[in-house]
């Protein structure tokens, strides 16, 4: 094969054919003593043989070896002799075929979007494609001079292409040269001052050379950086986060979840199944679940997550409340978030207690009592189950306040409340309706049975004793009883009936 010579690039040339009647302007690139690559607007009109006039007015005979849309590779010095080829000519023909293949390969490498550099055994560049030249702003005269890899690195240093501190640049260049000399095949991301990222990979060649490829990966690395930032953020949030793939295997669980399930980092990297996680000894189950149902809860929980979006409240073995949100992801997986709502639950229960409880006695307040009565009224209408109401009023309460003071009056109210609680049944509800007025809701209770409860409460009230100013005294109550009937219009009518009975009791002493 002919010896390698430095390639030349001519800015302009002219293709002449059809006995000088037709011409096509072109740019001559990578010209050697044997061939060249010609670039024009379209290669369709270029004949197989023609004359090439260079800018120096030199005329060369050319034969097309290969062509693409805008380029043709030619052999230089071709003639039109049609005589039978001699043995030497056959050898030259084989050499031309090899050269044409090499030129075609060089042209193809020039068209690929990634940078390519071919180095010989001494790490001097034998080919630098166009993408690499554009990528690193490498002038053609430098690229065509067979520069060493160190020269290319120094060019990047001198043009401030690397996102490296100036004091560290020389060390960086020396390290990169050592890596190429050693044939290190590990891909490396090169960050440029423009913000772009290029992934370089070295491939050792059989002749001792190296092929270097430079792939723009700015978007990939940016997405990777953003993903890492997101994972770091999720890793440190207070809530538990679990990502499952479409097969319900854990693709990510943050520190809070690993700590909750007592899962090591190695176990988490093994992508455990969700089914195995919810069966671990330290797990959360539905609140107030019966013992015989707890064993089946893990399978039920897996079915819930597989079904998709939902919210489920859970309780841990140490009594904490967890609210789990399950969201179906676009890839078919699931995202589960676990929020500790123990304090929120306690506050909600406290607010519910404050909203439904009388602060002095601890009994149901008027609103809660009437709501409960309304629910029982609905059952009465639907199933015709008996329901009765007791109305109680402390006798001569004003005189107690006037004689002993409001503090003793409050003690009297609390004493009656305790007597009502002591005399009622488990299913009954006691409420404080007004100042010294009380009501007792008796579900599924007839008038005759209600009288028994009323009598028991009256006796508990009479047994209660109050002490003030070294004087011990007791209080009594009047009780009105009413049972719901189908002729009543609603709970207001039932309450009026009980209230009317109360006033009759007071009037009768």
């Amino acid at each position: 094969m002919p010896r390698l010579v430095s390639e030349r690039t001519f800015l302009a040339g002219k293709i002449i054919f059809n006995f000088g009647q037709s011409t096509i302007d072109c740019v001559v690139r990578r010209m050697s003593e044997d061939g060249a690559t010609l670039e024009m607007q379209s290669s369709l009109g270029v004949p197989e043989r023609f004359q090439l006039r260079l800018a120096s007015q030199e005329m060369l005979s050319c034969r097309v070896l290969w062509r693409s849309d805008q380029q043709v590779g030619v052999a230089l010095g071709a003639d039109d002799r049609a005589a039978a080829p001699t043995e030497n000519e056959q050898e030259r023909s084989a050499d031309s075929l090899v050269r044409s293949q090499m030129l075609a390969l060089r042209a193809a490498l020039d068209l690929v979007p990634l940078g390519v550099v071919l180095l010989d055994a001494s790490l001097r560049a034998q080919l630098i494609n166009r993408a690499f030249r554009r990528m690193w702003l490498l002038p053609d005269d430098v690229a065509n001079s067979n520069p060493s890899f160190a020269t290319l690195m120094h060019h990047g240093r001198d043009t401030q292409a690397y996102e490296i501190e100036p004091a560290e640049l020389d060390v960086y260049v020396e390290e990169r040269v050592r890596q190429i000399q050693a044939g290190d095949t590990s891909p490396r991301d090169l960050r440029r001052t423009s913000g772009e990222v290029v992934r370089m990979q070295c491939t050792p060649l059989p002749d001792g050379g190296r092929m270097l490829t430079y792939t723009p990966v700015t978007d990939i690395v940016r997405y990777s950086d953003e993903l890492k930032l997101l994972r770091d953020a999720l890793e440190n949030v207070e809530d538990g986060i679990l990502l499952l793939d479409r097969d319900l295997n854990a693709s990510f669980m943050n520190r809070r979840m690993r700590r909750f399930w007592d899962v090591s980092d190695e176990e988490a990297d093994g992508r455990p199944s969700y089914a195995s996680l919810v069966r671990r000894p330290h797990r959360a189950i539905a609140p107030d679940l019966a013992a015989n149902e707890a064993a089946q809860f893990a399978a039920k929980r897996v079915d819930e997550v597989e079904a998709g979006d939902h919210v489920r409240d859970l309780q841990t073995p140490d009594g904490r409340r967890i609210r789990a949100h399950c969201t179906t992801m676009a890839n078919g997986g699931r995202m589960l978030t676990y929020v500790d709502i123990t304090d929120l639950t306690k506050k909600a229960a406290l607010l519910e207690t404050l909203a439904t409880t009388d602060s002095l006695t601890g009994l149901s307040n008027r609103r809660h009592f009437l709501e409960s009565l309304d629910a029982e009224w609905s059952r009465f209408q639907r199933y015709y189950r008996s329901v009765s109401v007791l109305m109680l009023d402390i006798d001569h309460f004003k005189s107690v306040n006037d004689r002993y003071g409001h503090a003793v009056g409050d003690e009297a109210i609390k004493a009656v409340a305790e007597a009502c609680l002591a005399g009622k049944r488990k299913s009954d509800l006691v409420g404080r309706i007004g100042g010294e007025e009380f009501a007792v809701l008796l579900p599924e209770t007839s008038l005759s049975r209600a009288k028994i409860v009323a009598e028991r409460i009256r006796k508990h009230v009479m047994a209660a004793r109050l002490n003030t100013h070294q004087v011990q005294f007791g209080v009594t109550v009047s009780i009105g009883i009413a049972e719901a009937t189908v002729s009543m219009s609603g709970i207001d009518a039932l309450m009026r009936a009980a209230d009317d009975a109360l006033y009759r009791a007071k009037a009768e002493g």
Side-chain angles (χ1 to χ4, degrees), residues 358 360-363 392-421 430 432 434-438 457-458 460-468 471-478:
D358 175 62
L360 177 63
T361 63
L363 301 177
L392 293 84
D393 185 84
I394 300 176
D395 296 327
H396 312 296
F397 182 71
K398 184 177 184 302
S399 63
V400 173
N401 274 338
D402 292 343
R403 183 174 182 180
Y404 301 113
H406 289 284
V408 175
D410 288 346
E411 291 300 319
I413 290 174
K414 289 192 285 186
V416 172
E418 291 173 2
C420 290
L421 293 174
V430 182
R432 184 183 177 197
E436 70 274 17
E437 291 184 338
F438 301 84
I457 291 175
R458 187 189 68 80
H460 279 288
V461 172
M462 289 192 66
R465 309 307 293 172
L466 298 172
N467 295 297
T468 179
V471 177
Q472 187 179 79
F473 69 97
V475 294
T476 61
V477 293
S478 297

Side-chain angles (χ1 to χ4, degrees), residues 13 28 123 132 147 167 196 228 275 333-334 363 406 465 505:
V28 183
L123 300 188
F132 182 91
E196 297 175 346
K228 182 179 183 303
R334 303 287 186 270
L363 301 177
H406 289 284
R465 309 307 293 172

Side-chain angles (χ1 to χ4, degrees), residues 70 115 135 142 189 206 240 293 344 366 396 410 439 441 454 507:
Q70 294 181 318
M135 192 178 295
V142 177
D189 289 342
E293 298 176 350
L344 182 63
R366 180 183 183 87
H396 312 296
D410 288 346
L441 171 61

